[in-house]
Each structure stands twice: as C-alpha cells, then as structure tokens.
Amino acid sequence: MVKGPGLYTEIGKKARDLLYKDYQGDHKFTITTYSPTGVAITSAATKKGELFLADVNTQLKRNNYTTDVKVDTNSNLSTTITVDEPVPGLKAILSFKVPDQRSGKLELQYLHDYAGICTSIGLTANPIVNFSGVLGTNIGSIGTDVSFDTKTGNFTKYNAGLSFSNDDLIASLTFNDKGDALTASYYHIVKPLTNTAVGAEVNHSFSTNENTIMLGTQHSLDPLTSVKARVNNFGKASALIQHEWRPKSLFTISGEVDTKAIDKSAKFGLALALKP
C-alpha cells in the first residue's frame, strides 16, 4: 500500500470506482495515437441520444512537465500544464479555458507520509479559494474540503470525511453539501487472485430524510475480462463486461434495467478505447 493518507478526493474512491466507474448509457469511441516526437493525440466521440459530442486532446510530456490541450465541438479550448515534483512531494497544476476568462486556476498538491494537502485559487480579481487537507496514515485518516468565495465573503463548500483501511477492506464516512448529506461507503476485497470485491454506499439527506443505497460487486473472469454488477434501493440494476483485447485497448458493454418497471426498455452503453 502507498504510504501516506493521500488527498481528500481519495477518501471513498475505491468504493466509488467499483460502483460507478465504466457504467454508462451512451456510445463512446476513443482512439489514442502517438507522434514520432512523443506527442499523444486522443480523439473522443460520444453519442448521447440524438446529441453528438467530440473532442481532441493533445498531450506532451517533457521531463517533469506535462501539457494537455483539448478542443471540443463547442470550440472551447482547455489547457492544463502540470509540473510534477518541482520539489519532493509537490505538484503544481495551471489550467484555463478559452474563451471563459474566469476559468483560470492554479492548484498545488503536496503529499507527505502523514498528510495530503491540495489548495487552489482562481486567477481572477475576486477568486474562489479551495483548500483540502488530510491527516493520518495509509491505515486511518481524517480530512476536510472547503471553498471560500472572496467576492461574496461566503463559504461555498465545506465537507469533512474520515477513512479506515487495511489490506482487504476500506471504509469511509463523509459529510457533504455543507453538512446536509452523510455518505458511508465500504469496499472489501474478497479474492485478490480474481480481483473479486464487493462494495456499498449509503447516502442520507438530512433535509429530505431520504436514503439512497447502492450495492455492487466485481470479478475477473480471466486476466483480460472482468464483469461488474450493481443495484440500488430504487430497483435500478446495472451490469457491464469489459475486455482488454490488446494492451490498454478496452471494449466495454453496459446495461441498466428498472426492476420495478420491466416493461420499460433497458438502457445500453458501449465504449471502445483504442491505444497502440
């Protein structure tokens, strides 16, 4: 296991990946090519109902610098420049989008054996400042995530969470939406050799007094093929199968059905990612 508690975004991440990652109801095609100079060009196309979206991302890595430039169908140009470890444990990220003049942001991440800190500030006259910090170890940690709007003088976000983990189990508890929502998640590795795991997530809203429960599992049929399934307390059941037909090239089929309304059509998603 990696030393240190990691960043705040990693609290509950294993359970979220098991329950939500790779599930989709759209058709998506992604292809990545590499130029002789080492530039990676990724083209993606997504069909959402009658809507068709596409983007092209260019990534250049040189020493500890990484530059990503993305252009989408709405003519938005997004640029992200990442400097990895200008000093040990530190990462600096500069991002901005054209023509959105308020999108500029500078982010600093610092990882330590007993702490993980991330702070960002918008590059505007009255920026939004975000700070998240986690203290602990790779076994147990506690952290917070807050955002402050310097223009209005109000906190736009304040969350808190804690996590516990060992070799085969990870449990977390977070307070979100300014304390209005409580989320508890659980991830348990049942059989490491076949990547078999189970997970659960329970969300409680204090304002509406409603609960949302999601249960899921994953299993590798062979080294190249894996399956996942999930169901929530509203009767929505989903499943997917993913096959790596060549290194880093994935073919994924997913589907969802409402068990309380079988007469309705099931939703199907397809994703194809090609890498040389």
Side-chain angles (χ1 to χ4, degrees), residues 17 20 28 55 66 77 82 84 120 141 184 204 224 244 259:
D17 285 349
Y20 301 105
K28 185 174 183 179
D55 61 68
T66 302
L77 176 66
T82 304
D84 195 15
S120 65
S141 61
H204 176 75
L224 301 178
E244 186 177 13
T259 60

Side-chain angles (χ1 to χ4, degrees), residues 70-200:
K70 178 187 288 187
V71 181
D72 61 25
T73 50
N74 295 321
S75 299
N76 293 314
L77 176 66
S78 304
T79 302
T80 303
I81 301 172
T82 304
V83 184
D84 195 15
E85 292 203 330
V87 298
L90 183 68
K91 178 184 290 187
I93 303 171
L94 173 65
S95 61
F96 56 90
K97 182 184 292 186
V98 178
D100 186 359
Q101 299 179 355
R102 294 181 54 85
S103 63
K105 183 175 71 172
L106 176 62
E107 179 177 331
L108 296 176
Q109 299 178 1
Y110 178 70
L111 293 176
H112 185 268
D113 287 349
Y114 302 104
I117 298 172
C118 179
T119 182
S120 65
I121 182 171
L123 303 180
T124 61
N126 300 293
I128 293 178
V129 181
N130 181 263
F131 172 84
S132 65
V134 180
L135 297 175
T137 65
N138 58 337
I139 297 176
S141 61
I142 185 170
T144 186
D145 180 25
V146 297
S147 290
F148 181 76
D149 190 338
T150 59
K151 184 177 182 180
T152 63
N154 297 322
F155 284 95
T156 59
K157 176 177 66 174
Y158 40 87
N159 304 324
L162 55 89
S163 176
F164 169 81
S165 62
N166 58 26
D167 291 337
D168 61 359
L169 184 148
I170 301 175
S172 67
L173 186 69
T174 58
F175 286 92
N176 305 303
D177 298 334
K178 300 181 180 180
D180 180 64
L182 175 65
T183 300
S185 66
Y186 167 83
Y187 175 85
H188 182 209
I189 300 174
V190 179
K191 195 173 182 180
L193 291 178
T194 57
N195 195 31
T196 304
V198 294

Side-chain angles (χ1 to χ4, degrees), residues 39-69:
V39 178
I41 302 174
T42 302
S43 302
T46 304
K47 186 176 184 297
K48 295 177 177 287
E50 299 299 323
L51 185 64
F52 183 82
L53 303 173
D55 61 68
V56 177
N57 183 82
T58 302
Q59 183 182 82
L60 173 63
K61 291 186 177 181
R62 187 66 55 87
N63 298 325
N64 60 333
Y65 291 85
T66 302
T67 302
D68 290 276
V69 180

Side-chain angles (χ1 to χ4, degrees), residues 195-256:
N195 195 31
T196 304
V198 294
E201 184 182 80
V202 180
N203 292 288
H204 176 75
S205 173
F206 293 101
S207 59
T208 63
N209 200 33
E210 292 183 350
N211 294 316
T212 302
I213 303 172
M214 181 79 77
L215 305 175
T217 185
Q218 68 180 24
H219 174 74
S220 293
L221 300 176
D222 57 53
L224 301 178
T225 308
S226 61
V227 293
K228 294 172 65 176
R230 68 181 186 184
V231 64
N232 64 18
N233 58 320
F234 299 110
K236 296 286 185 68
S238 307
L240 69 81
I241 182 169
Q242 185 174 79
H243 179 68
E244 186 177 13
W245 57 282
R246 57 179 294 176
K248 298 182 181 180
S249 293
L250 302 173
F251 179 69
T252 307
I253 299 177
S254 58
E256 180 183 270

